[in-house]
Structure formats: structure tokens, C-alpha cells
Amino acid sequence: MYDTVLVAVVGLLVGAVIWTVTDVSYDDPAAGWSKPGPVCPEEGVRVTAGPVNPAMGLRAMDLTLENCGTHAYRVEGYPEVRLLDRDQQHVTGVSVIHGSAGIATVTGFDDPPGAVTLAPGETASAGLLWRNTTTGFDGAVYVRYLTVAARSGSLPLLLTPDGGLDLGTTGRLGVGPWRTAGGTR
């Protein structure tokens, strides 16, 4: 019994340490990105990646934009997404396309974008959509990291989606527009 309790306590402590380390916030302007964490970045917004939702080769993931600042924050259109490999190098051969890019029919994904203004504490989301289809013998694309800028000119935030993005050989990633929780602008 003592061994079981000890293992459980050590596991919880190790988990807490790992959680703390991954939540450290830092900026690296020299690299051109910022890593989200518990501290609100200077721009006053934080972007986080939700879990990947896999369904028979179709994959989807939400990006959440949180106004953690003290002033209203306005975005219009789509997040700027850049794909990086495990060495944080730009992934080539994949088109990042506004809308569903013919990947699947998803309600609201191809609706025209509009302006979204977030008061402090409010959030908006945008979706990512892709297929994990692999055809032929070409290497499948695996994206370990993303950089996401909430709007043009924003400092991109480095995100590490849980499990990464397994894009297969399709060469396409659809990006939906920013929307508030009710789908409004």
C-alpha cells in the first residue's frame, strides 16, 4: 500500500513540475515569436491550441484567442498560421488556405470573415481543418509546431498542439475565420 501511495504522489509531483515548465511564458523577438503562458503578452492577447479532433481521417482543431489585456482588441479575417517541423523549421509543400479548401463541408467554416472586437476577458476562436490521407510513397507531413498571429503585424505565438498535426500527403490545411463563441462577429 505504501509503495502505491508513494508512486502516486511522485507521479503527481512530476506532473506538476512538467505542467509548470510548459506554462512558462517567454518572448523571443529575435526568433520572431512568443510562447503563450500564464502571463499576458505585451500585445494583450494570448492564442492557444485546443485538442485535435480526429474522425475517420478528417481532423479539426480550434485556436482560441483570449483578450487578456486591459483594452478592447479587434481582429478581422483569419489568423496567420505558419507550420513548423520538429526542428522549428518552416514546413514546405503544404498550402495554408482560408476556408475549408474543399477538405470537408463544415458549417460556418466557409462563411465570410468579419471584424471581431473582444473586450478584456473575452475570447474568439478559429478552426483548422485537414485530412490525414496518405497516398503514394511520398513522405507524409507531420507538423509539430505552429506559429499563429492573431492579425497581420502581430507577434506570432509559438504553439505546440497536443499530438501535432498529421497532414498526410494532402498538402492542404484549411483555416477558418475568427468568430466569437456564438459564431458572431
Side-chain angles (χ1 to χ4, degrees), residues 14 23-24 37 39 59 65 76 94 116 119 145 161 163-164 168:
V14 169
D23 276 352
V24 171
V39 176
R59 306 286 196 260
L65 173 65
E76 188 165 352
V94 177
V116 174
Y145 303 99

Short mmCIF file of all heavy atoms in Angstrom, two decimals, residues 14 23-24 37 39 59 65 76 94 116 119 145 161 163-164 168:
data_model
loop_
_atom_site.label_atom_id
_atom_site.label_comp_id
_atom_site.label_asym_id
_atom_site.label_seq_id
_atom_site.Cartn_x
_atom_site.Cartn_y
_atom_site.Cartn_z
N VAL A 14 5.74 15.02 -10.30
CA VAL A 14 6.40 15.13 -11.60
C VAL A 14 5.46 15.79 -12.60
O VAL A 14 5.86 16.67 -13.36
CB VAL A 14 6.85 13.74 -12.11
CG1 VAL A 14 7.28 13.80 -13.56
CG2 VAL A 14 7.98 13.22 -11.24
N ASP A 23 4.12 25.84 -18.93
CA ASP A 23 3.32 27.06 -18.85
C ASP A 23 4.16 28.32 -18.65
O ASP A 23 3.60 29.38 -18.48
CB ASP A 23 2.31 26.96 -17.70
CG ASP A 23 1.06 26.23 -18.15
OD1 ASP A 23 0.93 25.97 -19.35
OD2 ASP A 23 0.22 25.94 -17.29
N VAL A 24 5.47 28.20 -18.67
CA VAL A 24 6.31 29.38 -18.52
C VAL A 24 6.15 30.24 -19.77
O VAL A 24 6.15 29.74 -20.88
CB VAL A 24 7.79 28.96 -18.34
CG1 VAL A 24 8.69 30.17 -18.41
CG2 VAL A 24 7.96 28.25 -17.02
N GLY A 37 1.57 31.55 -22.30
CA GLY A 37 1.66 31.02 -20.96
C GLY A 37 0.75 31.80 -20.05
O GLY A 37 -0.11 32.53 -20.50
N VAL A 39 1.27 34.40 -18.21
CA VAL A 39 1.45 35.84 -18.22
C VAL A 39 0.90 36.37 -19.54
O VAL A 39 1.14 35.80 -20.60
CB VAL A 39 2.94 36.21 -18.07
CG1 VAL A 39 3.15 37.69 -18.19
CG2 VAL A 39 3.48 35.68 -16.75
N ARG A 59 -9.52 15.75 -39.70
CA ARG A 59 -9.01 16.30 -38.45
C ARG A 59 -9.46 17.74 -38.31
O ARG A 59 -9.56 18.48 -39.29
CB ARG A 59 -7.48 16.27 -38.40
CG ARG A 59 -6.85 14.92 -38.67
CD ARG A 59 -7.02 14.01 -37.47
NE ARG A 59 -6.15 12.86 -37.53
CZ ARG A 59 -6.52 11.65 -37.93
NH1 ARG A 59 -7.75 11.45 -38.33
NH2 ARG A 59 -5.67 10.65 -37.93
N LEU A 65 -8.43 32.64 -29.15
CA LEU A 65 -7.81 33.95 -28.95
C LEU A 65 -8.45 34.57 -27.72
O LEU A 65 -9.67 34.73 -27.67
CB LEU A 65 -8.07 34.84 -30.18
CG LEU A 65 -7.65 36.30 -30.09
CD1 LEU A 65 -6.14 36.42 -29.97
CD2 LEU A 65 -8.16 37.07 -31.30
N GLU A 76 -9.72 40.94 -37.62
CA GLU A 76 -10.60 40.84 -38.78
C GLU A 76 -10.04 39.79 -39.72
O GLU A 76 -8.86 39.82 -40.06
CB GLU A 76 -10.72 42.17 -39.51
CG GLU A 76 -11.76 42.17 -40.58
CD GLU A 76 -12.13 43.56 -41.06
OE1 GLU A 76 -11.69 44.55 -40.46
OE2 GLU A 76 -12.88 43.63 -42.03
N VAL A 94 2.95 22.42 -48.15
CA VAL A 94 1.59 22.46 -47.60
C VAL A 94 1.04 23.86 -47.80
O VAL A 94 1.68 24.84 -47.42
CB VAL A 94 1.56 22.09 -46.10
CG1 VAL A 94 0.16 22.22 -45.55
CG2 VAL A 94 2.11 20.69 -45.87
N VAL A 116 -14.06 41.22 -35.47
CA VAL A 116 -14.41 40.73 -34.14
C VAL A 116 -13.70 41.63 -33.14
O VAL A 116 -12.48 41.79 -33.22
CB VAL A 116 -13.95 39.26 -33.94
CG1 VAL A 116 -14.19 38.80 -32.52
CG2 VAL A 116 -14.63 38.33 -34.93
N ALA A 119 -13.64 42.47 -25.79
CA ALA A 119 -13.40 43.23 -24.57
C ALA A 119 -12.45 42.42 -23.70
O ALA A 119 -12.28 41.21 -23.90
CB ALA A 119 -14.72 43.46 -23.84
N TYR A 145 4.88 22.03 -34.59
CA TYR A 145 4.64 23.36 -34.03
C TYR A 145 3.90 24.24 -35.04
O TYR A 145 4.01 24.04 -36.24
CB TYR A 145 5.96 24.06 -33.69
CG TYR A 145 6.84 23.30 -32.75
CD1 TYR A 145 7.90 22.54 -33.23
CD2 TYR A 145 6.62 23.33 -31.38
CE1 TYR A 145 8.73 21.84 -32.37
CE2 TYR A 145 7.44 22.64 -30.51
CZ TYR A 145 8.49 21.89 -31.00
OH TYR A 145 9.30 21.20 -30.15
N PRO A 161 0.65 22.00 -30.56
CA PRO A 161 -0.59 21.25 -30.44
C PRO A 161 -0.33 19.84 -29.91
O PRO A 161 0.62 19.19 -30.33
CB PRO A 161 -1.13 21.20 -31.86
CG PRO A 161 -0.40 22.25 -32.60
CD PRO A 161 0.92 22.41 -31.92
N GLY A 163 -0.11 16.28 -29.77
CA GLY A 163 -0.10 15.27 -30.82
C GLY A 163 0.32 15.80 -32.18
O GLY A 163 0.52 15.03 -33.11
N GLY A 164 0.44 17.12 -32.33
CA GLY A 164 0.84 17.70 -33.61
C GLY A 164 -0.24 17.55 -34.66
O GLY A 164 -1.35 17.09 -34.39
N GLY A 168 -0.69 14.04 -43.45
CA GLY A 168 -0.61 13.05 -44.52
C GLY A 168 0.09 13.61 -45.73
O GLY A 168 1.05 14.37 -45.62
#
